[in-house]
């Protein structure tokens, strides 16, 4: 596990009784605290719960390799989750749990102040944008939304795990990441398009 980051990491929390039962530890975000891109997943799974780091299982492998293909290391970006404790049997976090953990996510967003937020999958997309999201259809769309009091640029993306179960999602996932990376200008020779917005 990475070193603790003061002001971003949650060291103790007992707000969600079921998650306190199911977690073995709180899984905080990792990566650069001044990253231009913040990826937001749903919540820790078994591997993340065990290792104390987001996206270290099979979905993490997909994400890492997609980042590597674009010349980025995990340490160049920030990766976090909507909820920091593993839900039992990998169920989706409840509305209450998402609400309880929102203050932690918002504090991380304010501290990192990324140029772009990339929610990975339906739960984080809907949680951040506060509306229904048809993720496959909207993946790659650039959306402006006020989050934690500040207008934020968001590129909707499918969850990396979706590419493992449905190969048609690979293209959708990679196109959304291409869009994200082209906006922040880290792709090979890419120009930042931030001035367009
Ligand atoms: N899926 C998520 O949404 N988050 C993780 O950290 C791992 C898998």
């Amino acid at each position: 596990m990475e070193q603790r980051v003061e002001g971003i990491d949650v060291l103790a929390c007992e707000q969600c009784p079921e998650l306190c039962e199911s977690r073995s530890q709180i899984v905080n975000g990792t990566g650069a605290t001044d990253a231009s891109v913040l990826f937001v997943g749903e919540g820790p799974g078994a591997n993340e719960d065990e290792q104390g780091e987001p996206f270290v299982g099979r979905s993490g492998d997909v994400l890492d390799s997609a980042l590597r293909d674009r010349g980025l290391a995990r340490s160049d970006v920030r990766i976090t989750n909507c909820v920091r404790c593993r839900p039992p049997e990998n169920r989706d976090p409840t509305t209450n749990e998402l609400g309880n953990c929102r203050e932690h996510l918002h504090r991380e967003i304010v501290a990192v102040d990324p140029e772009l937020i990339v929610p990975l999958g339906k739960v984080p997309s809907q949680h951040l944008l506060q509306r229904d999201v048809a993720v496959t259809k909207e993946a790659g769309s650039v959306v402006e939304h006020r989050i934690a009091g500040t207008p934020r640029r968001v590129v909707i993306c499918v969850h990396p795990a979706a590419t493992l179960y449905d190969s048609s999602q690979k293209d959708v996932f990679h196109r959304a990441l291409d869009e994200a990376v082209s906006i922040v200008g880290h792709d090979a020779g890419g120009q930042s398009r931030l001035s367009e917005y």
Side-chain angles (χ1 to χ4, degrees):
M1 189 166 116
E2 293 210 331
Q3 275 193 324
R4 300 203 184 289
V5 183
E6 212 174 312
I8 300 183
D9 284 359
V10 179
L11 304 185
C13 181
E14 306 285 327
Q15 286 196 82
C16 305
E18 270 197 78
L19 301 195
C20 288
E21 281 287 311
S22 58
R23 76 179 179 205
S24 36
Q25 58 183 313
I26 296 172
V27 179
N28 288 298
T30 59
T33 50
D34 60 350
S36 26
V37 189
L38 171 70
F39 291 94
V40 183
E42 183 178 315
N47 294 294
E48 291 75 21
D49 178 65
E50 199 183 303
Q51 295 182 46
E53 195 174 324
F55 284 97
V56 288
R58 288 180 74 206
S59 333
D61 291 343
V62 174
L63 181 60
D64 283 350
S65 129
L67 290 172
R68 253 196 326 272
D69 287 350
R70 290 161 180 83
L72 290 167
R74 248 176 116 81
S75 52
D76 294 325
V77 301
R78 181 110 194 136
I79 306 175
T80 195
N81 278 307
C82 294
V83 299
R84 291 175 193 237
C85 301
R86 182 192 182 193
E89 275 128 52
N90 294 336
R91 66 157 169 74
D92 286 355
T94 64
T95 307
N96 261 350
E97 291 161 355
L98 287 166
N100 288 342
C101 223
R102 182 182 283 120
E103 61 171 304
H104 306 313
L105 178 60
H106 281 191
R107 197 172 51 247
E108 186 163 17
I109 291 172
V110 169
V112 175
D113 193 23
E115 292 169 16
L116 189 65
I117 299 177
V118 182
L120 297 168
K122 195 175 186 75
V123 170
S125 300
Q126 298 197 153
H127 184 51
L128 285 166
L129 299 176
Q130 292 290 292
R131 64 167 172 85
D132 280 344
V133 177
V135 185
T136 302
K137 202 165 136 218
E138 296 187 53
S141 319
V142 187
V143 186
E144 288 273 351
H145 188 73
R146 186 172 280 273
I147 301 170
T150 306
R152 297 282 173 187
R153 188 164 303 118
V154 174
V155 168
I156 297 167
C157 187
V158 294
H159 197 281
T163 67
L164 298 169
Y165 308 120
D166 176 357
S167 60
S168 72
Q169 296 286 300
K170 283 187 189 164
D171 248 21
V172 183
F173 175 71
H174 285 287
R175 270 191 274 113
L177 277 195
D178 283 341
E179 180 61 28
V181 169
S182 82
I183 288 173
V184 291
H186 288 308
D187 58 343
Q191 287 278 310
S192 174
R193 287 171 34 207
L194 285 174
S195 55
E196 286 177 27
Y197 296 96

